[in-house]
Amino acid sequence: MAVVPAPSAPTPQITVPKRHKQSVWTGAIVRQAVVDSLRKLSPRSLYRNPIIFIVEIGALLTSMIFLRDLAAGAAFELLRFELQIALWLWFTVLFANFAEAIAEGRGKAQADALRRTRTQATANRLRPADGSIETVAASALRRGDLVRVSVGELIPGDGEVVGGVAFVNEAAITGESAPVLKEPGTDIRSSVTGGTTVVSDELRIKITADPGETFLDRMIALVEGAERQKTPNEVALNILLAGLTFIFLIVTATLQPFARYAGSEVSVVVLVALLVTLIPTTIGGLLSAIGIAGMDRLVQRNVLAMSGRAVEAAGDVDTLLLDKTGTITFGNRLAAEFIAVDGVSDEQLVEAAVRSSLGDDTPEGRSVLDLARSAGYERLVTALPAGAEFVPFSAETRMSGLRLDGRLTAKGAVDAVVAAVGGAPSAALRAESERISQAGGTPLAVLDEGRVLGLIYLKDTVKPGIRERFEELRRMGIRTVMVTGDNRLTAATIAREAAVDDYVPESKPEDKIRLIREEQEKGRLVAMTGDGTNDAPALAQADVGVAMNSGTQAAREAGNMVDLDSDPTKLIEIVAIGKQLLMTRGALTTFSIANDVAKYFAILPAAFAVTYPALDLLNLMRLGSPESAILSAVIFNALIIVALVPLALRGVAYRPIGAAVLLRRNALLYGLGGVIVPFVGIKAIDVLVRLAHLA
Amino acid sequence: MTAIEWGQLALYVALLLAAAKPLGTYMTAVYEGRRTWLHPVVRPLEVATYRLGGIDEDREQDWRRYLLATLAFNVAGFLLLYAILRLQGFLPMNPQGLEGAKPTLAFNTAASFVTNTNWQSYGGETTLSYLSQMAGLTFQNFVSAAVGMAVLVAVIRGVARQSASTLGNFWVDLTRSTLYVLLPLSVVLALFLVSQGVIQNVSAYTEVTTLEGETQTLAMGPAASQVAIKQLGTNGGGFFNVNSAHPLENPTAWTNLVEMVAILLIPVASVYMYGRMVGSTRHGWVLIGAMTAVLVLGTVVTTWSEQAGNPTLGALGVTAAPSADQLGGNMEGKEVRVGIGNSTTWAAATTAASNGSVNSMHDSYTGLGGITPFALMMTSEVIFGGVGSGMYGAVLYILLTVFIAGLMVGRTPEYLGKKVESREMKAVMASLLVFPVLILVWTAVAVVNPFGTDTLNNAGPHGFSEVLYAFTSGSANNGSAFAGLGANGTFYNLGIGVNMLFGRFVFLVSVMVIAGAMARKQRVAASPGTFPVDGFTFGGLFTGIIVIVGLLTFFPALALGPIVEHLMRADGVLF
């Protein structure tokens, strides 16, 4: 284990805060969003959202009618009505624009910070001819160039370390300020990312990405949402919404001839108002905000999704493929039990075990001390006695320990220790060590003064809380499969302890891709994490492949998500975020469509108040006057967009309670609620409108 | 509603539900090509049919070929029927010497029978020869229903199969529908009807002297066989002009009950069969439950409204209360021997199924009472609906439900393990657009032009309802008439004809596109996270989507027709 040197240069100030506790409702972001929502009024950007575009056309039309009637000197009541409808239609468009703009706000701020890193950088390029140094802008670097980066300098682009050993601070990308060791010739530790800083020594780096294609560039584009394309589900949903819009267009357009048959006319302003309230403006206005916010929630957890499609797929995942080491277990075998044999007392054994581990800095050694402490032998754990010599582990002796005044106290592989003592192991020792092996653990024999005192049971320890998370996943309907290189016995023990649904022992990295294909053939969507180059094909094959940022370039390119924290358990959060995104979309669509019931009852009696006064019986809300009824419906329709922006950004809460319960709950909340809320809302607005003498 | 009416409704629903499983199970066996107890009799016929038509029974078609075969068969059927109608004057079996039909009427009638609508712009006994009735119409009564079944079975295979390219063989499914399902049931029903006094002959019309001493011409003909298939095949075209109100079509209480059951028999069993063949019988029952709930609700509303009668008459001292001497309620346009409950239940059943046969005048219903027939048709005939077509239409609403609500469980929408994506949604929306466009646009054109309003019998909202009903009935391939509208003019013959064709074939093509797309997909494994389609919640959502998306679209039109008529009646305004 190397000792971390003190950074010889100050840590760069440009960091992406790891977790943004900061809300989007800060002055700067809101101000920017207000400006953007005005800018988005331009038909050139609005035509991509047909529903809101129709509202804009309606707003324009009513504004023109208002102006025409104003010029013609129409009655005050009529002008007041037309003006208000026109204004609220404009507000409807603005509110929808604002929802999108505010969702984009945080990403834009982050992208700006990242962009600053990029523009500042210069590079010391090595001339291929003579190896001399020339200083160029980072943007001039091409794939294959060699650069030298010294202490305190920014790494100018993505690359591979070809010379030197150094610590690199990756805070700009990951937010993690502890420096990471980089050296040539390894899989993971050789790849470096542009925008990070060398904090010790010096590296020679071969650039592997052209400008505009670097990880930093991709990251900027992603957090900013510049490359955002509609996901397959969004496309399908847009077809539905466009279809509904067209249907309502027909419904309102044919109302005029119907009215004419009945011997009257309905004013165009009223028809526009009816149309706008009927078309699904709520979901139309919030749809892209929901998508952006979903990506943003991932970014806040330091996960970059390469496409919205990947986030959607995360919600659909059926199977999680998890590496045992590092994900399910700590990855180190830790002492779990002391087993004294042949009449040796526990205390004797523990004392020897502790002695053998006093100078031992490995996780195993430390875990022996921890176990002794927790077993009530705190007093035995002392500092390294003066004059003691630590005997490190070697492949030859296969044991480590302490030599003090010629007395050797050591722990090591059972056969090695037995061989060192000479003679055959006792029956008890053999039985106990066999039991440990069969349970999937590793027995370490403890030797003191030429005698075997007993065993330390080293166990692969399951991370606390992981069992509960897997149970949660099971309730979500997700299977967990543990992949490990361990033998069947060991794997089975860990699998039982962690409560995974299935496990694959003795697997090689190549087995993963086979496993994924098998699962996919059974109709399941698979998610996995990986970091090595040999994980790359599996990452690409998986429906959701989360590459660790600490991983190789190949892995990061193969996956459709990158976890900047390199935390494999984050897969579980990613799935939850995917589900949350889809649920939010569904809930607001249902709500939006259910809203129509009340709007019919508000506007129809009002529109035909003159022709068919009897229709007033349909005025269930007992709204004050035809004008206030129509105005209230339009105002409600506009305000509900703003009211739901926080929900769209935050997402509907996801609870792992099974689809049937979840559906019942959400159907009641957003379906039935969607029918009831507008009745109450429109009535309340109507009361206010009349109090304020607006109609 | 009287106790008897409640009892009759309960009996009716119980009979339908009881028949769903046995008939549905039998049909499942038929379409899966398994042996049934009718095999000894029917199988030789089936084999002979294939030999005659040069059909390879085991050769399956992909969705394009299946659809192409369906369309080709319908085009040929249309042309044949058109020719028969135009030329009947020169053809045999025409004892009354009736002339050929005029072009627009022949177009309308051919479209009507090929699309399983059976809208009748003509009066059967005064316009059509026996040959036209038997070879022209009855043939289509069978095959148009069989086409519906065939397409449904193809859709089922699309949903049930995975990573498959074929959906079965149209000719085989068509043949089996006719020989194993429609024909045997029709024979049994026709014999029963004859036993009850329904006529079955090819005699010339008979002159009789009535009790009052007047002479009257009694139309004759092969009614029983026609009536059997008109009910079973959700055709509904009456042999006589007044349809099932005619005593020679529907003479007794038994024929009335059995014919009502026959109207919804196959549609209800088809829903059961659907559930079974796609691998979730529970899903089938949930659909049956949701549809039954809507049907019963509609029947109750209409029966209640009809039984309540007309308050304007009440003000004149006419009591609407039922008593030993009278049925009470609104009896205008209803047969005294049938009564209110049996008329309204029939009205609901015939519009739920795309049947369209009537035993009372829907035109004479109260405003509110008339809404049920409207509503059941406007929701695209998916409350059981027509033979085959009802269930495949329901698939569109199921997909819509799954798509809108499915996201709420946190997964992209999937139906029975198949992802619902853009292609499916395009097809669903194409079908959903058809009804508003056809019904609302045609009605809008009709009500502001003299060629639309000249043949109206009534003014105001009631006249509006008559026009709206005609286009709705055509689009929904129902065929029942509100009446009160002279529809045998060029405008209505063409307009309604076009509606019938679009109403039938846009849906048919859409569901075949969906079937093809779904069949190719791989089934996603089910898990506790999967959207459940076999529970109450789904049933409720399915109903909610039908009402909100399907019906509310027409709320403005309904408000200006039957609803306002009903509301204005309270002020004593009648039309």
Side-chain angles (χ1 to χ4, degrees):
Chain A
M1 193 77 188
V3 181
V4 178
S8 52
T11 317
Q13 290 307 298
I14 313 133
T15 55
V16 180
K18 192 171 176 185
R19 250 158 246 220
H20 301 258
K21 292 278 188 272
Q22 136 214 18
S23 117
V24 295
W25 303 104
T26 60
I29 293 182
V30 171
R31 262 195 308 278
Q32 185 61 44
V34 169
V35 173
D36 283 348
S37 47
L38 285 167
R39 192 173 300 144
K40 284 171 192 273
L41 282 177
S42 153
R44 259 182 314 195
S45 68
L46 209 55
Y47 83 97
R48 288 192 305 172
N49 185 343
I51 296 166
I52 302 302
F53 190 48
I54 284 190
V55 181
E56 186 170 44
I57 294 172
L60 206 61
L61 194 62
T62 38
S63 304
M64 275 156 37
I65 292 174
F66 165 72
L67 291 176
R68 182 199 67 190
D69 291 353
L70 185 69
F76 167 71
E77 283 76 17
L78 179 68
L79 290 174
R80 179 179 65 179
F81 174 70
E82 288 177 349
L83 176 64
Q84 288 186 85
I85 296 286
L87 284 177
W88 281 104
L89 293 183
W90 284 115
F91 278 132
T92 310
V93 181
L94 284 173
F95 291 163
N97 289 350
F98 177 76
E100 191 180 72
I102 194 111
E104 289 167 348
R106 188 160 38 195
K108 282 207 171 126
Q110 266 169 278
D112 286 344
L114 288 169
R115 206 171 271 130
R116 256 175 270 136
T117 344
R118 195 178 53 180
T119 49
Q120 289 164 357
T122 55
N124 296 318
R125 185 163 64 185
L126 277 68
R127 288 198 182 89
D130 53 359
S132 64
I133 301 273
E134 57 177 340
T135 303
V136 297
S139 56
L141 291 176
R142 291 289 176 275
R143 194 190 298 258
D145 284 354
L146 272 183
V147 295
R148 192 195 69 191
V149 188
S150 308
V151 166
E153 290 177 352
L154 278 175
I155 294 175
D158 294 358
E160 198 188 310
V161 177
V162 290
V165 177
F167 276 89
V168 171
N169 184 317
E170 297 191 322
I173 302 292
T174 64
E176 177 60 63
S177 54
V180 203
L181 181 75
K182 296 289 178 189
E183 60 189 359
T186 67
D187 194 16
I188 288 169
R189 287 197 301 277
S190 297
S191 81
V192 290
T193 311
T196 57
T197 315
V198 174
V199 291
S200 79
D201 308 294
E202 182 181 287
L203 290 174
R204 271 159 202 264
I205 296 165
K206 188 172 160 194
I207 297 295
T208 53
D210 286 334
E213 292 165 12
T214 66
F215 185 70
L216 194 63
D217 290 316
R218 273 204 293 168
M219 190 164 159
I220 290 170
L222 282 169
V223 295
E224 193 173 41
E227 283 174 8
R228 210 182 100 77
Q229 287 185 327
K230 285 192 179 125
T231 62
N233 177 254
E234 275 180 301
V235 171
L237 187 55
N238 267 312
I239 292 168
L240 170 80
L241 298 179
L244 288 178
T245 306
F246 186 74
I247 289 176
F248 290 126
L249 209 54
I250 304 251
V251 169
T252 33
T254 52
L255 218 46
Q256 192 65 285
F258 293 175
R260 213 166 279 164
Y261 167 84
S264 70
E265 291 263 325
V266 183
S267 84
V268 174
V269 175
V270 171
L271 287 178
V272 170
L274 180 63
L275 175 65
V276 169
T277 49
L278 288 183
I279 61 177
T281 46
T282 313
I283 183 64
L286 295 173
L287 186 57
S288 77
I290 295 169
I292 297 166
M295 301 273 278
D296 189 46
R297 272 199 294 283
L298 280 177
V299 172
Q300 286 180 69
R301 282 168 184 76
N302 265 349
V303 176
L304 291 182
M306 298 305 159
S307 68
R309 194 187 194 117
V311 189
E312 258 174 27
D316 284 346
V317 160
D318 300 287
T319 305
L320 290 192
L321 222 57
L322 300 166
D323 277 320
K324 185 204 76 176
T325 309
T327 309
I328 296 171
T329 67
F330 284 109
N332 300 308
R333 304 192 145 223
L334 305 178
E337 202 182 339
F338 296 115
I339 302 155
V341 293
D342 304 333
V344 175
S345 77
D346 280 352
E347 180 151 359
Q348 265 178 300
L349 170 67
V350 174
E351 191 190 355
V354 167
R355 271 173 74 90
S356 73
S357 306
L358 282 179
D360 185 355
D361 211 25
T362 64
E364 288 86 357
R366 279 196 304 258
S367 77
V368 170
L369 301 186
D370 286 342
L371 181 66
R373 279 194 202 97
S374 63
Y377 296 100
E378 179 84 56
R379 62 198 154 76
L380 297 177
V381 184
T382 58
L384 197 62
E389 178 206 347
F390 178 66
V391 182
F393 181 87
S394 77
E396 246 167 276
T397 60
R398 288 160 64 216
M399 59 175 98
S400 69
L402 196 75
R403 196 187 297 279
L404 182 62
D405 309 330
R407 171 184 167 191
L408 175 70
T409 312
K411 59 179 190 298
V414 177
D415 52 343
V417 170
V418 168
V421 174
S426 75
L429 187 75
R430 221 173 36 224
E432 286 296 339
S433 72
E434 210 147 282
R435 180 181 68 87
I436 293 171
S437 302
Q438 266 171 12
T442 310
L444 283 187
V446 179
L447 167 133
D448 193 19
E449 295 179 300
R451 182 174 167 216
V452 181
L453 300 184
L455 297 168
I456 302 172
Y457 182 171
L458 283 189
K459 206 168 151 183
D460 207 356
T461 310
V462 171
K463 288 184 177 175
I466 204 93
R467 198 188 168 94
E468 288 70 31
R469 299 202 87 169
F470 289 162
E471 264 152 25
E472 205 172 275
L473 285 169
R474 204 161 303 128
R475 284 197 297 275
M476 289 183 190
I478 296 169
R479 286 173 72 241
T480 43
V481 179
M482 180 182 86
V483 184
T484 173
D486 289 349
N487 63 43
R488 188 164 292 278
L489 271 177
T490 315
T493 309
I494 299 290
R496 202 164 40 242
E497 236 171 90
V500 292
D501 294 293
D502 205 352
Y503 63 94
V504 185
E506 290 162 12
S507 77
K508 295 179 283 297
E510 308 85 77
D511 290 342
K512 275 189 196 163
I513 190 160
R514 183 182 47 79
L515 202 65
I516 293 172
R517 289 216 178 100
E518 275 171 20
E519 288 284 312
Q520 285 171 337
E521 267 158 34
K522 287 181 208 146
R524 301 200 178 106
L525 267 75
V526 186
M528 69 166 284
T529 60
D531 53 6
T533 299
N534 51 19
D535 281 335
L539 279 171
Q541 176 73 28
D543 300 283
V544 177
V546 183
M548 301 292 102
N549 186 52
S550 60
T552 60
Q553 191 81 11
R556 290 199 302 192
E557 267 163 24
N560 48 17
M561 290 194 198
V562 175
D563 179 19
L564 300 176
D565 293 341
S566 306
D567 170 11
T569 55
K570 204 166 293 165
L571 204 47
I572 298 167
E573 281 177 66
I574 292 172
V575 169
I577 290 173
K579 288 198 177 291
Q580 205 181 19
L581 167 76
L582 295 171
M583 272 171 54
T584 311
R585 201 181 281 161
L588 291 182
T589 307
T590 308
F591 185 84
S592 190
I593 291 171
N595 267 206
D596 277 358
V597 181
K599 293 167 182 171
Y600 278 113
F601 283 100
I603 294 189
L604 268 189
F608 289 91
V610 181
T611 327
Y612 292 132
L615 278 180
D616 193 49
L617 270 172
L618 293 183
N619 179 2
L620 301 179
M621 288 165 269
R622 310 308 320 154
L623 304 175
S625 68
E627 288 76 23
S628 79
I630 294 165
L631 187 58
S632 304
V634 171
I635 294 177
F636 174 85
N637 193 57
L639 290 183
I640 196 74
I641 297 178
V642 183
L644 290 173
V645 166
L647 183 68
L649 296 187
R650 194 179 61 235
V652 170
Y654 176 76
R655 288 189 196 81
I657 44 178
V661 185
L662 203 58
L663 179 64
R664 189 160 60 236
R665 182 187 295 227
N666 285 332
L668 284 177
L669 198 58
Y670 298 100
L672 204 58
V675 174
I676 296 166
V677 166
F679 276 102
V680 180
I682 293 175
K683 175 71 190 172
I685 293 171
D686 176 69
V687 170
L688 291 177
V689 160
R690 273 178 301 143
L691 277 178
H693 298 285
L694 294 174
Chain B
M1 266 179 89
T2 63
I4 291 178
E5 284 161 356
W6 280 110
Q8 283 173 333
L9 179 58
L11 172 68
Y12 177 56
V13 172
L15 285 174
L16 282 178
L17 295 184
K21 188 173 172 178
L23 181 58
T25 309
Y26 167 76
M27 294 194 312
T28 306
V30 168
Y31 293 111
E32 287 177 351
R34 281 184 277 127
R35 199 180 161 77
T36 64
W37 56 276
L38 274 181
H39 254 63
V41 188
V42 181
R43 181 66 189 167
L45 273 174
E46 189 191 352
V47 174
T49 311
Y50 296 151
R51 196 160 302 151
L52 211 67
I55 295 156
D56 179 357
E57 198 183 347
D58 299 318
R59 194 162 144 199
E60 296 218 341
Q61 298 161 316
D62 64 17
W63 76 269
R64 273 175 230 274
R65 285 181 185 283
Y66 199 105
L67 177 61
L68 214 63
T70 313
L71 295 178
F73 180 73
N74 278 294
V75 169
F78 178 88
L79 294 176
L80 178 70
L81 182 52
Y82 183 84
I84 291 177
L85 292 171
R86 296 278 290 138
L87 301 174
Q88 68 173 3
F90 307 103
L91 296 171
M93 291 181 73
N94 185 8
Q96 296 304 116
L98 297 166
E99 285 176 21
K102 63 180 179 178
T104 55
L105 178 63
F107 162 76
N108 183 285
T109 305
S112 168
F113 279 76
V114 166
T115 58
N116 193 250
T117 310
N118 300 30
W119 169 267
Q120 293 167 292
S121 277
Y122 59 90
E125 58 271 48
T126 54
T127 322
L128 296 183
S129 72
Y130 291 155
L131 182 85
S132 294
Q133 292 260 22
M134 290 170 81
L137 304 188
T138 310
F139 174 70
Q140 279 301 334
N141 277 352
F142 276 97
V143 295
S144 67
V147 164
M149 286 308 289
V151 171
L152 172 62
V153 173
V155 170
I156 291 177
R157 293 189 186 116
V159 175
R161 290 178 179 180
Q162 57 171 334
S163 311
S165 57
T166 60
L167 297 172
N169 183 314
F170 170 73
W171 306 110
V172 171
D173 293 330
L174 181 77
T175 310
R176 285 186 181 155
S177 300
T178 312
L179 295 182
Y180 285 90
V181 183
L182 295 168
L183 210 51
L185 283 171
S186 300
V187 169
V188 173
L189 182 58
L191 290 176
F192 169 79
L193 293 175
V194 170
S195 81
Q196 295 291 308
V198 179
I199 57 168
Q200 177 76 10
N201 59 45
V202 284
S203 321
Y205 297 171
T206 314
E207 294 273 326
V208 294
T209 310
T210 65
L211 290 175
E212 290 115 356
E214 308 279 329
T215 53
Q216 186 184 345
T217 307
L218 279 190
M220 291 285 120
S225 59
Q226 272 265 14
V227 170
I229 186 60
K230 102 168 180 192
Q231 306 299 27
L232 287 165
T234 58
N235 293 291
F239 189 82
F240 303 110
N241 195 21
V242 295
N243 212 303
S244 295
H246 197 293
L248 296 184
E249 274 203 22
N250 182 16
T252 69
W254 283 112
T255 55
N256 197 70
L257 178 67
V258 171
E259 285 188 38
M260 277 206 302
V261 170
I263 288 174
L264 280 175
L265 182 68
I266 298 178
V268 176
S270 300
V271 182
Y272 176 84
M273 173 183 85
Y274 177 85
R276 203 179 156 112
M277 287 180 78
V278 299
S280 171
T281 316
R282 265 182 66 101
H283 178 45
W285 281 116
V286 165
L287 293 174
I288 290 179
M291 292 174 181
T292 306
V294 176
L295 178 69
V296 169
L297 180 74
T299 313
V300 169
V301 167
T302 297
T303 313
W304 173 81
S305 178
E306 294 308 304
Q307 194 67 60
N310 190 330
T312 317
L313 290 175
L316 299 173
V318 180
T319 173
S323 67
D325 304 324
Q326 63 163 10
L327 293 159
N330 171 31
M331 281 301 292
E332 183 196 317
K334 297 187 184 68
E335 284 277 290
V336 174
R337 64 198 176 90
V338 177
I340 288 178
N342 275 322
S343 297
T344 50
T345 310
W346 185 300
T350 196
T351 46
S354 76
N355 187 291
S357 70
V358 289
N359 67 357
S360 60
M361 290 278 274
H362 295 179
D363 188 36
S364 301
Y365 277 31
T366 58
L368 189 61
I371 285 183
T372 298
F374 266 114
L376 289 170
M377 292 189 293
M378 284 170 167
T379 49
S380 328
E381 298 281 10
V382 295
I383 304 304
F384 296 119
V387 166
S389 62
M391 188 56 231
Y392 72 62
V395 171
L396 297 169
Y397 274 103
I398 293 172
L399 292 181
L400 194 63
T401 308
V402 165
F403 189 82
I404 292 173
L407 285 167
M408 285 198 294
V409 301
R411 292 170 71 99
T412 55
E414 63 195 37
Y415 176 52
L416 295 171
K418 301 285 185 70
K419 290 282 172 210
V420 182
E421 293 163 303
S422 302
R423 192 176 169 83
E424 289 83 355
M425 284 321 288
K426 275 184 201 153
V428 168
M429 291 319 291
S431 302
L432 277 187
L433 286 176
V434 168
F435 267 50
V437 172
L438 292 181
I439 297 174
L440 296 177
V441 173
W442 276 112
T443 305
V445 171
V447 295
V448 291
N449 284 297
F451 51 76
T453 50
D454 280 352
T455 52
L456 277 179
N457 278 355
N458 302 75
H462 197 79
F464 181 80
S465 299
E466 288 168 355
V467 178
L468 185 66
Y469 195 101
F471 286 111
T472 306
S473 177
S475 308
N477 296 143
N478 183 278
S480 70
F482 214 46
L485 168 72
N488 191 8
T490 307
F491 171 70
Y492 284 108
N493 269 340
L494 289 178
I496 295 170
V498 166
N499 273 17
M500 291 188 287
L501 292 173
F502 274 90
R504 172 83 164 184
F505 291 106
V506 174
F507 272 71
L508 195 150
V509 172
S510 294
V511 294
M512 285 305 294
V513 169
I514 291 172
M518 297 275 269
R520 276 195 301 274
K521 291 185 195 213
Q522 201 197 8
R523 189 183 292 278
V524 178
S527 78
T530 309
F531 181 82
V533 291
D534 57 359
F536 271 103
T537 318
F538 175 76
L541 285 168
F542 175 65
T543 317
I545 293 288
I546 290 179
V547 171
I548 293 182
V549 179
L551 188 56
L552 274 188
T553 310
F554 297 100
F555 187 64
L558 287 175
L560 299 178
I563 294 177
V564 75
E565 183 184 351
H566 185 84
L567 296 176
M568 288 168 87
R569 199 183 61 179
D571 307 327
V573 184
L574 301 176
F575 297 95

